[in-house]
Every structure is written in C-alpha cells, then in structure tokens.
C-alpha cells in the first residue's frame, strides 16, 4: 500500500523481506539518477536492504558511503562497533571507493566531530538511509536534539541503552556515548529513506509522520524535508490515523 502524508511517500509492506526489496528499489533509482554518495545506517532494520544490495549486480566501487554514527570507545575490530557491522553486512561484499564511519576511538570529540562535518561537506549525501529509534531518534539524535545540529557527541538515553543491550553480554558493556551526525546534517541529504518495522516502533512512527514537528521526536523534523520515502510494516504503521 502507498500513501502520501504531507511530503512523505509512505509504503506499507508485509514484512522485513518485502521492505528489503522496496528499499533496494529506492537505492537502485537513486543510483540510476546518478547518486554518488550514499548515507548508510546500522541496526537490525537496514539488514534486509543490505542483503538485497549484496545479492544484486550493483557496483559501488566508484561511490562513497558516509555512515550516521558510531559508539565512542569501540574500534573497527569490536563486533558491536558500527564499522564492524557495515563491513559484515555490506562493505566486505560490496566495497565502496571510500567508506566513512565516525572514529569511535578518537577520544577528542571536538576534533572527530569537526573531521566528520568536513567529510560530509566534501561528500554531499544523495540518499540517506535511516532507521528509527523507539523514542523517535534518528542516528543517535535523542529527543531534545536541535534541528540545526551537526555531528556531535551524544550521551545515550536509558531507552536506547536498554534497546541496544541485547547485542552485548551485559548492560554494563553498552557504550554510554556515541558520535552522531546531527539532524541538520541528515536534513541536508537530497533524498531520505527511513524504515521501521514492528509494534515497538508504532508510536514513534505516528509521532514522526502525524505529530507536531518537535525536538521531542527528532524524526518529526523529516516532515520539513522535501523528499522522504518511508517504508513500514503493518505493525509499525498500526498507530497511524
Ligand atoms: C540505534 C542506531 C539507530 C537505529 C536504531 C534502531 O540506536 N543508532 O541508527 O536506527 O538503533 O535500531 P533497530 O533498527 O535495530 O531497531
């Protein structure tokens, strides 16, 4: 099912596998239209899209990728780092000419966030893929984040720490900080694709699409962007009016 809510093209699919195919088509169209820089995301949500990209004959060897975020303190060899995730799900099979992820091992937050903003400015993002946090976050832009924010160091909320604890042996090991592109950086992308699956995301989806534009729900700022695609399964769409 397709519908249009304000400027957002919303597609409701049966399940995550169908969402992977729908998301793949949006990537394919962007590449056909000449996209050179892809903004990528981690989490369980994008995996089915990455599976489609890996299985495809698309070639990324002339393209650049820029990832949204990384945990502070985790390096590329840590299995829960976002760099490791990207290698595993996409880059090993489909290498890009350049793949940028914030450097979680750079303890100098001012230097790292400036470096990343300079990278984004030099590589304007054509298509940005996003997942959605249960509390309406995008990247690691937690509730309260300013719409003009650039790359910054974030203290993760308890809700996000709890949601991510399943990937670690115990909650104490979940990093408390991350580097994340800001809302302002994300909104500069020419085109955005945000994907959400499951009941746990339903309230955040309704707030993102039909609630007021507010820093309380960082994803609601997507209502101000001219070119957003949304892919949902029925459970994630269940609180839309
Ligand atoms: C993390 C990531 C987000 C992601 C969110 C949802 O907090 N920083 O980029 O969108 O989790 O994750 P999942 O897709 O696993 O539900």
């Amino acid at each position: 099912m397709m519908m249009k809510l304000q400027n957002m093209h919303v597609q409701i699919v049966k399940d995550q596998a169908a969402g992977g195919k729908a998301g793949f088509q949006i990537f394919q169209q962007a590449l056909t239209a000449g996209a050179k820089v892809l903004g990528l995301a981690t989490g369980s949500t994008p995996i089915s899209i990455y599976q489609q990209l890996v299985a495809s004959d698309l070639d990324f060897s002339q393209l650049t990728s820029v990832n949204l975020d990384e945990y502070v303190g985790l390096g590329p060899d840590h299995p829960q780092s976002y760099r490791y995730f990207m290698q595993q799900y996409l880059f090993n099979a489909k290498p890009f000419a350049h793949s940028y992820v914030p450097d979680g091992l750079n303890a100098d937050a001012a230097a790292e966030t400036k470096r990343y903003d300079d990278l984004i400015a030099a590589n304007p993002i054509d298509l940005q893929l996003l997942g959605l946090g249960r509390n309406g976050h995008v990247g690691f832009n937690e509730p309260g984040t300013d719409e003009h924010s650039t790359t910054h160091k974030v203290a993760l909320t308890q809700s996000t720490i709890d949601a991510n604890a399943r990937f670690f042996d115990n909650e104490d090991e979940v990093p408390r900080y991350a580097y994340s592109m800001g809302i302002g950086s994300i909104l500069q992308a020419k085109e955005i694709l945000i994907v959400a699956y499951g009941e746990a995301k339903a309230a955040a989806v309704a707030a993102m699409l039909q609630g007021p534009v507010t820093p309380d729900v960082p994803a609601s700022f997507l209502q101000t962007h001219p070119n957003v695609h949304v892919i949902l399964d029925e459970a994630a769409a269940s609180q839309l009016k």
Side-chain angles (χ1 to χ4, degrees):
M1 190 183 108
M2 294 278 273
M3 59 180 175
K4 195 138 188 268
L5 282 173
Q6 300 169 36
N7 54 331
M8 323 243 250
H9 304 273
V10 182
Q11 200 173 342
I12 299 174
V13 297
K14 191 168 129 267
D15 55 19
Q16 201 149 340
K21 289 184 181 150
F24 171 77
Q25 282 180 3
I26 290 168
F27 270 84
Q28 202 172 29
Q29 283 158 14
L31 295 178
T32 306
K36 295 276 176 283
V37 182
L38 300 180
L40 301 176
T42 56
S44 52
T45 306
I47 291 176
S48 64
I49 296 179
Y50 294 151
Q51 287 168 339
Q52 293 291 323
L53 293 175
V54 166
S56 75
D57 56 9
L58 294 180
D59 174 25
F60 300 113
S61 64
Q62 307 298 315
L63 304 190
T64 295
S65 70
V66 183
N67 259 77
L68 280 173
D69 49 8
E70 178 62 282
Y71 288 118
V72 174
L74 302 193
D77 296 331
H78 191 292
Q80 294 307 331
S81 76
Y82 285 172
R83 163 64 78 169
Y84 188 98
F85 175 102
M86 290 308 303
Q87 291 296 144
Q88 184 185 10
Y89 285 102
L90 187 62
F91 299 157
N92 289 343
K94 292 282 189 187
F96 286 67
H98 305 282
S99 278
Y100 301 115
V101 181
D103 178 3
L105 294 182
N106 188 351
D108 183 342
E112 181 56 20
T113 54
K114 161 98 173 60
R115 182 187 78 88
Y116 215 66
D117 281 334
D118 291 347
L119 271 172
I120 298 166
N123 297 279
I125 295 169
D126 293 297
L127 172 62
Q128 176 68 55
L129 175 61
L130 299 172
L132 178 67
R134 296 174 197 195
N135 61 1
H137 75 229
V138 285
F140 269 129
N141 294 287
E142 299 282 21
T145 308
D146 184 87
E147 74 183 286
H148 302 296
S149 51
T150 53
T151 307
H152 55 295
K153 184 179 177 181
V154 181
L156 302 181
T157 63
Q158 193 60 42
S159 146
T160 299
I161 293 166
D162 293 347
N164 290 346
R166 67 187 192 279
F167 299 115
F168 294 82
D169 290 337
N170 64 66
E171 204 215 84
D172 295 346
E173 289 177 26
V174 186
R176 265 41 186 178
Y177 293 92
Y179 293 130
S180 180
M181 270 189 207
I183 302 284
S185 339
I186 291 169
L187 292 175
Q188 277 174 30
K190 291 195 193 102
E191 188 176 10
I192 292 173
L193 167 60
I194 185 159
V195 184
Y197 304 117
E199 183 74 48
K201 304 286 176 72
V205 165
M208 161 174 81
L209 295 175
Q210 297 179 321
V213 175
T214 165
D216 296 342
V217 182
S220 67
F221 288 118
L222 298 178
Q223 292 177 30
T224 68
H225 189 281
N227 194 6
V228 179
H229 303 268
V230 184
I231 295 174
L232 307 171
D233 67 359
E234 281 165 19
S238 60
Q239 291 186 30
L240 289 175
K241 291 180 207 87

